[in-house]
Amino acid sequence: MQLETVLILEHRDYGAGYRLLKVAAPGIAPQVQPGQFVHVRVPRLNDAVLRRPFSVFQAQADTLSILYKTVGRGTAALAALAAGQTVGLIGPLGHGFPLDGPAERVPVLVAGGYGMAALYLVAQRLPRQGMVFVGGCSAQDILGIEDFTALGWPAHIATEDGTRGVRGLVTDVLDAWLGEGRQSRTPEFFACGPNGMLQAVGDRAQAGGWTAWLSVDRHMGCGVGACLTCVVKCKAPDGDWVWVRSCKEGPVFECRQIQWEEES
Amino acid sequence: MQLETVLILEHRDYGAGYRLLKVAAPGIAPQVQPGQFVHVRVPRLNDAVLRRPFSVFQAQADTLSILYKTVGRGTAALAALAAGQTVGLIGPLGHGFPLDGPAERVPVLVAGGYGMAALYLVAQRLPRQGMVFVGGCSAQDILGIEDFTALGWPAHIATEDGTRGVRGLVTDVLDAWLGEGRQSRTPEFFACGPNGMLQAVGDRAQAGGWTAWLSVDRHMGCGVGACLTCVVKCKAPDGDWVWVRSCKEGPVFECRQIQWEEES
Amino acid sequence: MSLNSPDLSVNLGGVRMKNPVMVASGTFGYGPEYADLVDLNRLGALVVKGISLEPWRGNPPPRTVEVASGLINAIGLQNPGAEGFLRDYLPFLRQFDVPVIVNIWGRTVEEYAAVAERLSAADGLTALELNVSCPNVKEGRTAFGTNLPMFRRVLAAVRLKTRLPLIPKLAPDLSQIKAFAQAAEEEGADAISLINSIPALAIDIETRRPVLGNRTGGLSGPAIKPIALKLVWEAAQAVRIPIVGMGGIASAADAVEFIIAGASAVAIGTANFSEPTTALTVMDGLREYLIRHNLGTVKELVGALRC
Amino acid sequence: MSLNSPDLSVNLGGVRMKNPVMVASGTFGYGPEYADLVDLNRLGALVVKGISLEPWRGNPPPRTVEVASGLINAIGLQNPGAEGFLRDYLPFLRQFDVPVIVNIWGRTVEEYAAVAERLSAADGLTALELNVSCPNVKEGRTAFGTNLPMFRRVLAAVRLKTRLPLIPKLAPDLSQIKAFAQAAEEEGADAISLINSIPALAIDIETRRPVLGNRTGGLSGPAIKPIALKLVWEAAQAVRIPIVGMGGIASAADAVEFIIAGASAVAIGTANFSEPTTALTVMDGLREYLIRHNLGTVKELVGALRC
Ligand SMILES: Cc1cc2nc3c(=O)[nH]c(=O)nc-3n(C[C@H](O)[C@H](O)[C@H](O)COP(=O)(O)OP(=O)(O)OC[C@H]3O[C@@H](n4cnc5c(N)ncnc54)[C@H](O)[C@@H]3O)c2cc1C
Ligand SMILES: Cc1cc2nc3c(=O)[nH]c(=O)nc-3n(C[C@H](O)[C@H](O)[C@H](O)COP(=O)(O)OP(=O)(O)OC[C@H]3O[C@@H](n4cnc5c(N)ncnc54)[C@H](O)[C@@H]3O)c2cc1C
Ligand SMILES: Cc1cc2nc3c(=O)[nH]c(=O)nc-3n(C[C@H](O)[C@H](O)[C@H](O)COP(=O)(O)O)c2cc1C
Ligand SMILES: Cc1cc2nc3c(=O)[nH]c(=O)nc-3n(C[C@H](O)[C@H](O)[C@H](O)COP(=O)(O)O)c2cc1C
Ligand code: FES
Ligand code: FES
């Protein structure tokens, strides 16, 4: 984990309403593990007291990139930056996806929203090949399929309006795949997306006796474990529950750790 | 007085550390009187609650321009704007310089700092020709002489370090001119600059029985007379004194109105 | 009443307002200052700068300083006095179809009563807002705004002198706001308004002197909004009389927050300085909010916080 | 001591600090969290997150929300309890040459006394900061922080149980800060710290619910700086014991303002989240200020306000 002021190398539209921000981060980039994130100090947003967290999309040698969507004032201010300007990062942060699962497991990636950005490094760095399931409202919400197919990973797409792939939820496609008994081998899930999707993936994993790594999205303060903003309700060893920091112990949790009941 | 969102036409260095910002302001520009100012809403300065006041430098048909120096966060944010962007103005504001003095008076302009910007329209619009006295610390502080000489107005320059014009204060040059008895006609002063300079000009005017119009610089809130931030100590008719709004009754006052004693 | 034009009107303890958005005392002058930029007839109400019995000079400059998302002011209640106001401004104000609320203050209970009496005798004023909470005049805040018995005394004295709706403006007391709100109700106030600016200080580190001529001042603007909202919510739970909420409101969303917290009306203060039309944009945004949420009247939103 | 290296050291009621810049409770975890980014040995002191006798879960999320130039937090004092802290964090902290101040709280006078006693028995802790002012645990603020007799009782009870320097952290009471500061001094406090975050509310206008899981929270960050500065200045005029000033400090200039107002030390809170090295840059900037102003020690600046 380190603080780094980084130079913007590239900043452009990436499709599905997302923008790619690529920076030279010689300190942080080489350390990044799949599923980790960077905490970004957005310049010029001078009444903001918090950084903004973004998953690392790609990290190669001394550069890293994020994919983000403009949803509020921080991301809007980010979007106004140009190559040649600098931005402050803290990273890499959090516990990402473990890549050391048994070789016989088929990696199954499940993504919604920016989930594709959080999962790319999993596909790229896993020694085993797997497949990716992606969901969205409409064709124009489906982000970065090409990056996965370029790695030779097949992609299963679901859109709620049927404009791309199967009409329905990503879990429908996943269920079909699971139901068709195609899993000659045991699946291992890696998921990032809305809470409902994560919970659904976790339910299937627990029902099947499989492992599911879920990357949760919680509002963050410090990003390093100091402020206790970002907590997730987790099961405690004694059967009770406890608030656990998603910026430190997460953002990736095994589905059995999370206690979804009572969560909104 | 009106609110106008205006398009930036030109934004460039103007010398002496000042920048020229020229905008299309079809509502405000035609109304501007010499010595009036505009109150600028600086974009992106999102923790600022106040506008920033600037004298109108030039106003021609539907355009107007200001000359400003970066001295703090507002002017720094202003400097980052580019032609094609917009900015919000309220204007024209305040009571400017009266141009209807008797024809036999010689207009004598005295400027320090951005004073040249505040006085240009006086020279341009006065039916009578006069002269201008300018002071600064050093040659590089002397702003916009050429604009006055282009109007045929002679300029007398003083710098404290002697790098341009006479070494000394602008009032030294002014005193020399006054002392040499060159004023075949009665001078009428129009001054804008630091308080010390204004007071010195006012003293000379009162001693000689002449008129001196002084444009004062006070921090401003609303700019329209509502908040009572910008007050100047003025003499009251009954011999007492009273706080008077420089954004409304000023920024130009006749030197006899101002009560300088006890002012910082 | 069609769904497309929700009813924005409110009756604020006898002040009938076309809409619940007013402009706050001290930030909108006496009316003429902004009249070129804002159609005064569209305002819910106009609260003028604090008026005392006699003219008052106010504090030496600097009188305001900009800070992070806020403004500290120490104007010191400069005003032309009751007679000056009635002579120089009331005729202008009477041209408009807008409730005029006069913010009043005094240095003693007697002065409060006297100015209230004098203004009540004039024609064309709608209500009195009692400023017991200005942090910039020593006599004000210390004596009345944070001292419950004195607060009651001044309120009772003014109440005897006026039939106009009486709206005490509470000091932003963090621990006793309910007590002050209840005392106001008990002493016959028709509504209460809050918050006034919060006592604050800024220091010039080069000269090591306070920035403001009066040393301390009152903080206003977006910086205080979350504090103001909390106090309005607390006060709303303590009284039945209507509340005018203010403190850092700059957008319709801000105003909606105050109304949900329990304010029947809101006032725009510091935001007027950067955007003089804030009251109008807030009003329009509020109307859109009501339409989007299928509410026929703004009253349905008052105190609608779900806890 | 050469003019180029002014003496930054301070003795804060028995806490010997290399420099007057500490990190505020709840914003710097228990030490390890920021240790990769900030050399803990350089800090004037490290104040850890509030500790209670038993582990405490804290409030449901959302626990913080960003507002204009500020943050509202309602963490609710989640902590591993005194034993958990001593077991999991104290060994780590003892590796560093930095005064460790433990912020403590309880639900009853007895709990305060018990946690103070337990921590005082441990080796390696420098002082106790008594949090009687947290707006996020019902028991805290209501019972102790704004009730003078209760404040005295809890202070007296803790004082009996510890020989460590005791630093009560005052609630930001706008009208009674002097009374609380004096009570702290009379009950044997070695220093006082202020301010804690200010009670605040944010409402989600779409759901009409409070944004925070705990409904209300405490406002911190640059928004509260002018209020905090005023309170520190008032408190400094009321007591002789040293003061730790905090509230919105983000730059050396901010820290200098607090010191001029009367703080012997300052604490960096919310600013750590955006710039974790704020304490270090404040320290460097403070040194430069002293050099530029020809001051040999920071003590000469304490309370140097010219009025
Ligand atoms: C571990 C993690 C990884 C993320 N990775 C990505 C990514 O790769 N691409 C991407 O587009 N987005 C990602 N997000 C979400 C991203 O952080 C938010 O979209 C962003 O913070 C919104 O900031 P804003 O100022 O534009 O929005 P505003 O709504 O104006 O922000 C207000 C506050 O809410 C917080 N906030 C708002 N939305 C979210 C959210 N969805 N999650 C967390 N905090 C939020 C902001 O950080 C800020 O503190 C990630 C979030 C987390 C927690
Ligand atoms: C009537 C009038 C006309 C002016 N005309 C010009 C001009 O033509 N060219 C020019 O360069 N400057 C002019 N000024 C000064 C200009 O307003 C300030 O330089 C500017 O406001 C500084 O803003 P800032 O945010 O960069 O500085 P900061 O110091 O960061 O500003 C903080 C606050 O102080 C105020 N402030 C700071 N310096 C001044 C100042 N000298 N006068 C008034 N308020 C100040 C700001 O408006 C702001 O509210 C004029 C001022 C007045 C009152
Ligand atoms: C410059 C200025 C002058 C003010 N004068 C008065 C006043 O005369 N009487 C009064 O009751 N409040 C006065 N106030 C307080 C405002 O009416 C309002 O209560 C406060 O500013 C909070 O609202 P805001 O954050 O929207 O500005 C003044 C505020 C400012 C900024
Ligand atoms: C997330 C967060 C957690 C906090 N936790 C504590 C705490 O446990 N005990 C305490 O006394 N103060 C706590 N505080 C208050 C700070 O120590 C400090 O008093 C306050 O935030 C004002 O300083 P600032 O504006 O620099 O943040 C907390 C503040 C924040 C923002
Ligand atoms: S964001 Fe601060 S602990 Fe996780
Ligand atoms: S700036 Fe508001 S009255 Fe002049």
Side-chain angles (χ1 to χ4, degrees):
Chain A
M1 188 218 306
Q2 67 185 73
L3 267 165
E4 200 170 14
T5 301
V6 302
L7 185 72
I8 300 176
L9 300 173
E10 199 182 330
H11 198 181
R12 61 178 173 88
D13 289 338
Y14 201 78
Y18 282 77
R19 281 173 65 79
L20 173 104
L21 184 79
K22 184 174 176 181
V23 300
I28 296 171
Q31 312 295 330
V32 172
Q33 301 296 318
Q36 286 191 303
F37 67 96
V38 288
H39 216 20
V40 182
R41 178 88 170 119
V42 182
R44 289 213 208 110
L45 197 65
N46 42 26
D47 66 336
V49 296
L50 297 181
R51 291 172 175 249
R52 302 294 191 261
F54 299 95
S55 303
V56 177
F57 169 44
Q58 296 184 326
Q60 203 175 15
D62 285 356
T63 69
L64 67 81
S65 58
I66 62 171
L67 283 178
Y68 72 92
K69 199 173 196 163
T70 298
V71 298
R73 56 203 211 94
T75 41
L78 206 55
L81 297 177
Q85 294 183 295
T86 59
V87 66
L89 300 186
I90 303 177
L93 295 173
H95 273 86
F97 293 104
L99 303 186
D100 54 359
E104 68 277 11
R105 293 191 187 161
V106 189
V108 176
L109 277 45
V110 191
Y114 69 79
M116 295 297 276
L119 290 166
Y120 176 77
L121 282 181
V122 176
Q124 199 207 30
R125 298 201 183 167
L126 259 183
R128 308 161 268 155
Q129 200 206 283
M131 66 195 65
V132 49
F133 290 82
V134 191
C137 292
S138 189
Q140 67 253 31
D141 302 315
I142 302 300
L143 171 72
I145 295 292
E146 303 68 28
D147 295 305
F148 289 87
T149 49
L151 295 173
W153 285 48
H156 304 263
I157 305 173
T159 54
E160 289 175 41
D161 65 358
T163 45
R164 189 162 175 196
V166 172
R167 183 191 211 107
L169 298 176
V170 65
T171 41
D172 297 336
V173 198
L174 183 64
D175 285 341
W177 180 79
L178 289 170
E180 282 164 27
R182 278 193 225 163
Q183 66 282 31
S184 47
R185 291 179 295 169
T186 312
E188 178 173 11
F189 297 99
F190 300 82
C192 180
N195 278 345
M197 194 202 87
L198 296 181
Q199 195 168 351
V201 170
D203 289 347
R204 280 150 187 78
Q206 295 197 42
W210 306 309
T211 300
W213 304 103
L214 312 177
S215 179
V216 304
D217 177 336
R218 289 291 184 281
H219 282 215
M220 285 184 182
C222 65
V224 302
C227 75
L228 304 175
T229 288
C230 60
V231 293
V232 175
K233 193 178 271 186
C234 282
K235 291 172 189 124
D238 60 1
D240 207 349
W241 61 268
V242 61
W243 294 115
V244 174
R245 302 169 298 184
S246 70
C247 71
K248 193 79 187 174
E249 284 78 24
V252 176
F253 294 94
E254 207 286 314
C255 66
R256 288 163 186 82
Q257 295 178 266
I258 301 178
Q259 181 155 326
W260 292 104
E261 318 86 88
E262 298 179 58
E263 282 247 48
S264 60
Chain B
M1 190 217 307
Q2 69 186 73
L3 265 165
E4 199 170 16
T5 301
V6 302
L7 185 71
I8 300 176
L9 300 173
E10 197 182 334
H11 198 181
R12 62 179 171 88
D13 288 338
Y14 202 77
Y18 281 77
R19 282 173 64 79
L20 173 104
L21 184 78
K22 185 174 176 182
V23 301
I28 295 171
Q31 311 296 327
V32 172
Q33 301 297 318
Q36 285 191 304
F37 67 96
V38 287
H39 216 20
V40 181
R41 178 89 171 119
V42 182
R44 289 213 205 109
L45 198 65
N46 42 28
D47 66 336
V49 297
L50 296 181
R51 291 172 176 250
R52 303 292 190 263
F54 299 94
S55 303
V56 176
F57 168 46
Q58 297 184 326
Q60 202 175 17
D62 285 356
T63 69
L64 67 80
S65 58
I66 62 172
L67 283 178
Y68 70 94
K69 200 176 198 161
T70 298
V71 298
R73 55 204 211 93
T75 41
L78 205 55
L81 298 176
Q85 293 183 296
T86 59
V87 66
L89 299 186
I90 304 177
L93 295 173
H95 274 87
F97 294 103
L99 303 187
D100 53 0
E104 67 278 10
R105 293 190 188 160
V106 190
V108 176
L109 276 45
V110 191
Y114 69 79
M116 295 297 276
L119 290 166
Y120 177 77
L121 282 181
V122 176
Q124 199 207 32
R125 297 202 183 166
L126 259 183
R128 308 162 269 155
Q129 201 206 281
M131 65 194 65
V132 48
F133 289 81
V134 191
C137 293
S138 189
Q140 68 254 31
D141 302 316
I142 302 299
L143 171 71
I145 295 292
E146 304 68 29
D147 295 306
F148 289 87
T149 50
L151 294 174
W153 285 48
H156 305 262
I157 304 174
T159 54
E160 289 176 38
D161 66 358
T163 46
R164 189 163 176 194
V166 173
R167 183 191 210 107
L169 297 175
V170 66
T171 40
D172 297 337
V173 198
L174 183 64
D175 285 341
W177 181 80
L178 290 170
E180 282 164 27
R182 279 194 224 163
Q183 65 284 29
S184 49
R185 292 180 292 170
T186 312
E188 176 172 13
F189 296 98
F190 300 83
C192 180
N195 277 345
M197 193 202 87
L198 296 182
Q199 194 168 353
V201 171
D203 288 349
R204 280 149 187 80
Q206 295 196 41
W210 305 309
T211 299
W213 303 102
L214 312 178
S215 178
V216 303
D217 176 337
R218 288 292 184 281
H219 282 215
M220 284 184 183
C222 65
V224 304
C227 74
L228 305 176
T229 288
C230 59
V231 294
V232 174
K233 195 178 270 189
C234 282
K235 290 171 191 126
D238 59 0
D240 207 348
W241 60 267
V242 62
W243 294 115
V244 174
R245 301 169 298 184
S246 68
C247 71
K248 195 78 188 174
E249 285 77 23
V252 175
F253 293 94
E254 207 285 315
C255 66
R256 289 161 185 82
Q257 296 178 267
I258 301 178
Q259 181 155 328
W260 291 105
E261 318 86 270
E262 299 178 58
E263 281 248 50
S264 61
Chain C
M1 186 201 67
S2 98
L3 204 67
N4 283 323
S5 64
D7 179 9
L8 289 183
S9 71
V10 289
N11 180 334
L12 188 82
V15 184
R16 293 177 181 283
M17 294 164 58
K18 294 191 231 20
N19 67 68
V21 187
M22 41 206 247
V23 287
S25 179
T27 67
F28 215 78
Y30 300 105
E33 295 84 354
Y34 278 113
D36 281 0
L37 307 179
V38 178
D39 179 358
L40 304 186
N41 288 320
R42 292 193 59 201
L43 298 175
L46 192 159
V47 188
V48 301
K49 172 79 188 155
I51 296 285
S52 49
L53 190 59
E54 302 294 335
W56 189 250
R57 268 182 183 150
N59 292 328
R63 287 177 165 189
T64 63
V65 55
E66 193 185 61
V67 290
S69 296
L71 184 73
I72 314 181
N73 90 79
I75 307 299
L77 294 168
Q78 175 176 344
N79 80 87
E83 297 304 333
F85 166 72
L86 295 173
R87 180 188 65 233
D88 298 341
Y89 296 103
L90 186 58
F92 173 85
L93 288 166
R94 288 177 61 175
Q95 297 173 283
F96 297 90
D97 175 27
V98 61
V100 174
I101 301 177
V102 185
N103 181 276
I104 59 168
W105 65 278
R107 285 167 301 169
T108 59
V109 172
E110 294 67 33
E111 277 187 18
Y112 270 101
V115 67
E117 185 168 25
R118 178 66 192 91
L119 292 169
S120 301
D123 206 36
L125 299 175
T126 314
L128 299 180
E129 182 180 51
L130 206 64
N131 181 6
V132 289
S133 52
C134 179
N136 301 321
V137 175
K138 213 180 169 184
E139 295 81 358
R141 200 177 131 80
T142 314
F144 306 111
T146 60
N147 178 323
L148 207 47
M150 283 298 281
F151 175 72
R152 284 185 184 274
R153 271 189 57 200
V154 74
L155 218 62
V158 171
R159 183 71 288 177
L160 284 176
K161 298 291 184 191
T162 187
R163 289 182 168 185
L164 291 175
L166 191 58
I167 311 171
K169 184 164 177 179
L170 305 190
D173 194 297
L174 300 177
S175 48
Q176 298 188 80
I177 202 75
K178 287 190 182 194
F180 279 91
Q182 282 161 353
E185 185 166 46
E186 286 161 19
E187 298 297 340
D190 300 282
I192 52 175
S193 63
L194 68 160
I195 65 173
N196 211 316
S197 54
I198 302 179
L201 176 65
I203 294 173
D204 179 331
I205 64 169
E206 298 307 321
T207 62
R208 289 179 220 162
R209 291 182 191 282
V211 172
L212 297 177
N214 185 49
R215 296 186 196 175
T216 62
L219 180 65
S220 65
I224 69 170
K225 196 197 78 176
I227 302 171
L229 194 65
K230 163 77 159 52
L231 292 172
V232 165
W233 179 57
E234 275 191 51
Q237 290 170 286
V239 295
R240 287 198 204 138
I241 48 175
I243 293 176
V244 185
M246 74 192 94
I249 298 177
S251 68
D254 294 337
V256 169
E257 279 192 84
F258 275 86
I259 295 171
I260 291 173
S264 295
V266 295
I268 311 297
T270 304
N272 292 312
F273 303 154
S274 57
E275 295 299 347
T277 53
T278 303
L280 307 182
T281 53
V282 163
M283 215 173 285
D284 294 339
L286 175 59
R287 183 179 293 110
E288 282 162 29
Y289 177 92
L290 295 174
I291 293 171
R292 195 154 44 82
H293 288 259
N294 272 311
L295 295 168
T297 68
V298 68
K299 296 178 200 85
E300 297 167 55
L301 197 61
V302 176
L305 187 70
R306 303 190 177 127
C307 271
Chain D
M1 187 202 64
S2 96
L3 203 67
N4 283 322
S5 63
D7 179 9
L8 289 183
S9 72
V10 289
N11 181 334
L12 188 81
V15 183
R16 290 175 184 285
M17 294 164 57
K18 294 191 234 17
N19 67 68
V21 187
M22 43 207 246
V23 286
S25 180
T27 67
F28 215 77
Y30 300 105
E33 295 84 354
Y34 278 114
D36 281 0
L37 307 178
V38 178
D39 179 358
L40 304 187
N41 288 319
R42 292 192 60 201
L43 298 175
L46 192 160
V47 188
V48 301
K49 170 78 187 157
I51 295 287
S52 50
L53 190 59
E54 302 294 335
W56 189 251
R57 268 180 184 152
N59 292 329
R63 288 178 164 188
T64 63
V65 55
E66 194 185 62
V67 291
S69 297
L71 183 73
I72 314 181
N73 91 79
I75 307 297
L77 294 169
Q78 176 177 344
N79 79 89
E83 298 304 333
F85 167 70
L86 295 173
R87 180 186 66 231
D88 298 340
Y89 296 104
L90 186 58
F92 173 84
L93 288 166
R94 289 178 61 178
Q95 298 172 283
F96 297 91
D97 175 27
V98 61
V100 174
I101 301 176
V102 185
N103 181 276
I104 60 169
W105 66 278
R107 285 167 300 169
T108 59
V109 172
E110 293 69 33
E111 277 186 18
Y112 270 102
V115 67
E117 185 168 27
R118 178 65 193 92
L119 292 169
S120 302
D123 205 36
L125 299 176
T126 314
L128 299 179
E129 182 179 54
L130 206 65
N131 180 4
V132 289
S133 51
C134 179
N136 301 320
V137 174
K138 211 180 170 187
E139 296 82 358
R141 198 177 134 81
T142 316
F144 306 111
T146 59
N147 178 323
L148 206 47
M150 283 298 281
F151 175 71
R152 284 184 185 273
R153 272 189 55 202
V154 72
L155 217 61
V158 170
R159 182 73 288 178
L160 284 176
K161 298 292 184 188
T162 188
R163 290 182 166 185
L164 291 175
L166 192 59
I167 311 172
K169 184 165 177 179
L170 306 189
D173 194 298
L174 300 176
S175 49
Q176 299 188 79
I177 202 75
K178 288 191 182 195
F180 278 92
Q182 282 161 352
E185 185 167 46
E186 285 162 20
E187 298 296 340
D190 300 283
I192 52 175
S193 63
L194 68 162
I195 67 171
N196 211 317
S197 54
I198 302 180
L201 176 65
I203 294 173
D204 179 330
I205 64 169
E206 298 308 321
T207 63
R208 288 177 221 162
R209 292 182 190 283
V211 172
L212 297 176
N214 185 51
R215 297 185 194 174
T216 61
L219 181 65
S220 64
I224 68 170
K225 197 197 78 176
I227 302 171
L229 195 66
K230 163 76 158 48
L231 292 172
V232 164
W233 178 59
E234 276 191 51
Q237 291 169 287
V239 295
R240 287 198 203 138
I241 48 175
I243 292 176
V244 185
M246 73 192 96
I249 299 177
S251 68
D254 294 337
V256 168
E257 278 193 85
F258 276 86
I259 296 171
I260 291 174
S264 295
V266 295
I268 311 297
T270 303
N272 292 311
F273 303 154
S274 58
E275 295 299 346
T277 53
T278 302
L280 307 182
T281 52
V282 163
M283 215 175 283
D284 293 340
L286 175 58
R287 183 179 293 109
E288 282 162 30
Y289 177 92
L290 294 175
I291 293 171
R292 196 153 45 81
H293 287 260
N294 271 312
L295 294 168
T297 69
V298 68
K299 294 178 202 83
E300 297 167 54
L301 197 61
V302 176
L305 187 71
R306 300 187 180 130
C307 270

